[in-house]
Amino acid sequence: MPSNLPTYLALRTRAQIDARTNGLTSSDQAPSSPMAQKRTYRLPAQDDTPYPAMTPPQPLGIPFLDRVYDLTQRWIQEEWLVITSLKRDAARNGKKPIYLAAIEESRLTPDNLAKRLDNISQATLRRELKKLNAPSPGQIIRKTRIAYAKHLLTHTRMMVRDIAQRAGYENERHFGEVFAAEENCSPTEYRRKHVAGVNHQPPSDP
């Protein structure tokens, strides 16, 4: 049995999603365990993403920093799918502490990013980024969330509230405020400026 069950559940769910979605790949592999034959993480068809994945970030020539940006981008694209699947499993099997812990470990936060990156502390990650004159972990996550929201605004017809959720914002109003601070316009205005015609239909909310 895995020594850290919440992490095992989160990684296994991500591995299942990686196998079901085009372009959303992850280097994280679920550890081998007898539990793997007992648990399955089936995702409904509507969870498949009918829109293209984001273009990978341009390499900066600094291996550590490239890994930070790459992991952040991949994580944000998978985050909503992973958490939704874990919540579904929790509802089906009872809201046991292991599921709640797995959900929290699946959220992209500076602390979780540091742990997933090199099993280091958030303070260490912040120091390493500062040495490279790079933004803080929180700034990198925020800008990447907005970049993903812009990607969804221009590649889907999803409602703004659904895009907010998939970009990691539970509150649409807060999402709008953060977006406006970064882009000097609302999400709706951004879509109007950058989209001539989008044919992709949004996936249904579970």
Side-chain angles (χ1 to χ4, degrees):
M1 180 175 292
S3 58
N4 191 329
L5 191 53
T7 298
Y8 170 81
L9 292 177
L11 290 181
R12 177 161 178 77
T13 303
R14 290 184 70 192
Q16 289 284 341
I17 289 170
D18 287 344
R20 296 277 310 272
T21 54
N22 292 328
L24 301 185
T25 59
S26 170
S27 60
D28 296 320
Q29 297 296 325
S32 177
S33 164
M35 291 188 67
Q37 298 179 6
K38 297 180 180 179
R39 295 186 185 278
T40 57
Y41 293 86
R42 180 178 60 82
L43 297 176
Q46 63 262 31
D47 279 355
D48 287 334
T49 52
Y51 41 83
M54 297 174 70
T55 302
Q58 286 289 334
L60 301 173
I62 305 173
F64 179 77
L65 195 54
D66 286 340
R67 287 176 56 221
V68 171
Y69 279 106
D70 179 68
L71 177 57
T72 301
Q73 187 185 90
R74 289 189 290 107
W75 195 327
I76 285 174
Q77 292 182 92
E78 299 170 355
E79 184 181 40
W80 181 84
L81 293 170
V82 171
I83 292 175
T84 299
S85 181
L86 285 169
K87 285 181 177 179
R88 188 178 297 116
D89 287 336
R92 206 164 41 224
N93 300 314
K95 294 184 178 179
K96 301 174 183 177
I98 57 170
Y99 286 104
L100 301 181
I103 289 170
E104 289 308 309
E105 289 186 3
S106 297
R107 298 187 190 282
L108 179 53
T109 65
D111 188 51
N112 285 342
L113 177 61
K115 291 177 182 176
R116 184 72 59 81
L117 187 68
D118 278 327
N119 197 28
I120 57 179
S121 69
Q122 179 184 164
T124 299
L125 175 59
R126 183 182 293 272
R127 283 197 302 270
E128 292 301 316
L129 290 173
K130 188 174 182 179
K131 290 178 185 177
L132 298 170
N133 294 318
S136 69
Q139 290 173 321
I140 290 175
I141 291 171
R142 183 179 68 253
K143 288 183 177 296
T144 308
R145 288 195 186 284
I146 294 302
Y148 186 43
K150 289 160 58 178
H151 177 77
L152 295 179
L153 285 167
T154 56
H155 287 81
T156 78
R157 288 180 177 174
M158 259 188 240
M159 296 180 68
V160 171
R161 68 175 180 227
D162 295 327
I163 290 175
Q165 290 180 353
R166 285 160 177 77
Y169 295 91
E170 295 185 4
N171 185 297
E172 182 183 353
R173 180 176 179 180
H174 177 57
F175 165 67
E177 292 171 350
V178 175
F179 191 97
E182 291 286 339
E183 299 298 324
N184 295 316
C185 66
S186 71
T188 301
E189 291 170 336
Y190 181 89
R191 172 177 269 167
R192 191 179 301 121
K193 291 177 183 176
H194 293 84
V195 178
V198 177
N199 296 319
H200 298 290
Q201 295 295 328
S204 303
D205 280 331

